[in-house]
Amino acid sequence: MTDARVGVGVVGTGFMAGAHLDALRRLPEVEIIAVAGHDPGHTAELAARHGARAYGDYRELLDDPAVESVHTCTINRLHHDVNLAALERGKHVLSEKPLAIDSQESARLIAVAEQAGVVSGVCFNYRHYPLIAQIRAMLQSGEYGAPHLIHGHYLQDWLLLQTDWNWRLQEADGGASRAVADIGSHWADLVQHVTGDPVVAVFADLGTLHPTRVRAGADHATFASGARAGGERQAVETEDYGSVLLRFLSGARGAFTVSQTSAGRKNDLSFQIDAAHAAFAWNQEHPDHAWVGRRSGANLELVRDPATATLSSLPPGHAEGWSDALRNLFADFYANVAAHRAGEGRESDVASFRDGHARVQLVEAVVTSHREQRWAAVQSPTEVPA
């Protein structure tokens, strides 16, 4: 780049790639250079919409000298290969979750990233809502005591019908877990971020509503119906829903339910953290409001206010939601890139590769627990050699 902006390339052309591109356009410190995708027509159209070059192979994008930073927005099984290739070329990397499809791959990425000396992160975007930052700060103050029970759910309905189809349903593309890995990992990351308390053991009970589904429509579409006459039936081995008991390092207990087959629930991520002197509850579908429960006195409602909530960019009453949180994540990440250029350190809320690896380990523990019907330990990411 000839100016101070960071040249960015996005690998992938699906729902998340589009969301990344839209959020990136809101940051003056970056310039979108290129988009890579497997469908030439769609890739060219998406790239043209954002004034970028189109590549049919992600390696061509990575070889573009103007691309300094890479956003990995592909299907899950490609995350490791794209992230690794970008790191080996000295690019900064912001990866969609999961960091990789299993913990062996994610462990390797930690080592390569730390050796490469670039800025890296994983897109757990729910960390970056203003009221999440406020609840986290309130808990960190110690005024409300230590959490002892953490519970909630993440519910969707986009895979309720047997004719609903998506590439995530294929274990080879999505991984050994689906509902837990796809959305449960977001819930687990969020509560661990807010409390600062890592999950150390899980007990899981998972279920599959449709053992077979009608495979129809575009495999790589997201949130699209697969209803189409003549579609072939395909076995489904990953979970549609499940519940997980949690033990945290501090001794706190917890539980969450996850589902992609709950009618009427679109993106219902909700948690409650019960601490010694107050409880805190938040729901992603109502992001500008949080509930504070009290034993003595009236319960309280927190309303996002730029005067007290960091990350706010709009006045009170002007709702900030999912796309704003994604933009906040990117602003945080590129502030890290600016600090890196200046040779400075910086505190950040962006999930690190070690965080991403820990979430992969948690999902693997959930799968083990369900399969063996026992408590399963979650391995510590600190055990990965630097």
Side-chain angles (χ1 to χ4, degrees), residues 112-284:
V112 174
E114 293 180 355
Q115 185 175 12
V118 296
V119 178
S120 58
V122 184
C123 288
F124 284 105
N125 52 298
Y126 294 105
R127 293 180 172 208
H128 299 269
Y129 283 86
L131 282 184
I132 291 300
Q134 186 168 348
I135 293 171
R136 185 171 185 248
M138 292 172 76
L139 285 169
Q140 287 179 337
S141 73
E143 179 181 352
Y144 302 95
H148 56 268
L149 181 63
I150 301 162
H151 48 102
H153 59 253
Y154 198 157
L155 308 176
Q156 299 176 332
D157 70 356
W158 68 290
L159 291 174
L160 175 62
L161 305 180
Q162 192 172 31
T163 51
D164 290 332
W165 183 260
N166 180 261
W167 61 263
R168 292 169 176 81
L169 292 157
Q170 300 177 104
E171 187 172 345
D173 285 340
S177 168
R178 178 168 33 91
V180 173
D182 189 30
I183 56 177
S185 62
H186 272 301
W187 189 94
D189 177 79
L190 184 59
V191 299
Q192 290 177 94
H193 172 70
V194 170
T195 63
D197 198 1
V199 174
V200 295
V202 298
F203 197 118
D205 184 28
L206 310 179
T208 302
L209 178 63
H210 300 299
T212 63
R213 286 179 180 265
V214 179
R215 178 175 178 176
D219 280 2
H220 295 276
T222 302
F223 309 129
S225 173
R228 180 179 297 176
E232 64 178 275
R233 287 191 175 273
Q234 181 161 322
V236 174
E237 298 180 351
T238 52
E239 77 281 357
D240 288 312
Y241 55 85
S243 295
V244 184
L245 295 175
L246 306 170
R247 290 177 181 166
F248 293 82
L249 182 63
S250 68
R253 297 297 197 265
F256 73 92
T257 296
V258 61
S259 171
Q260 294 176 318
T261 55
S262 294
R265 299 298 185 180
K266 304 306 179 184
N267 199 41
D268 183 6
L269 184 160
S270 179
F271 69 75
Q272 181 167 319
I273 299 169
D274 297 330
H277 306 301
F280 298 86
W282 181 81
N283 184 294
Q284 189 278 148

Side-chain angles (χ1 to χ4, degrees), residues 8-18 20-21 24 32-48 50 52-64 67 69-75 78 82 220:
V8 179
V10 174
V11 181
T13 58
F15 167 75
M16 282 309 305
H20 277 236
L21 288 163
L24 285 166
I32 300 169
I33 299 295
V35 178
H38 72 285
D39 182 321
H42 181 53
T43 304
E45 178 185 354
L46 189 62
H50 296 279
R53 295 190 275 275
Y55 291 111
D57 188 311
Y58 72 85
R59 297 171 189 84
E60 296 175 342
L61 179 148
L62 297 180
D63 288 336
D64 188 327
V67 173
S69 178
V70 175
H71 288 228
T72 302
C73 303
T74 66
I75 59 176
L78 296 178
V82 175
H220 295 276

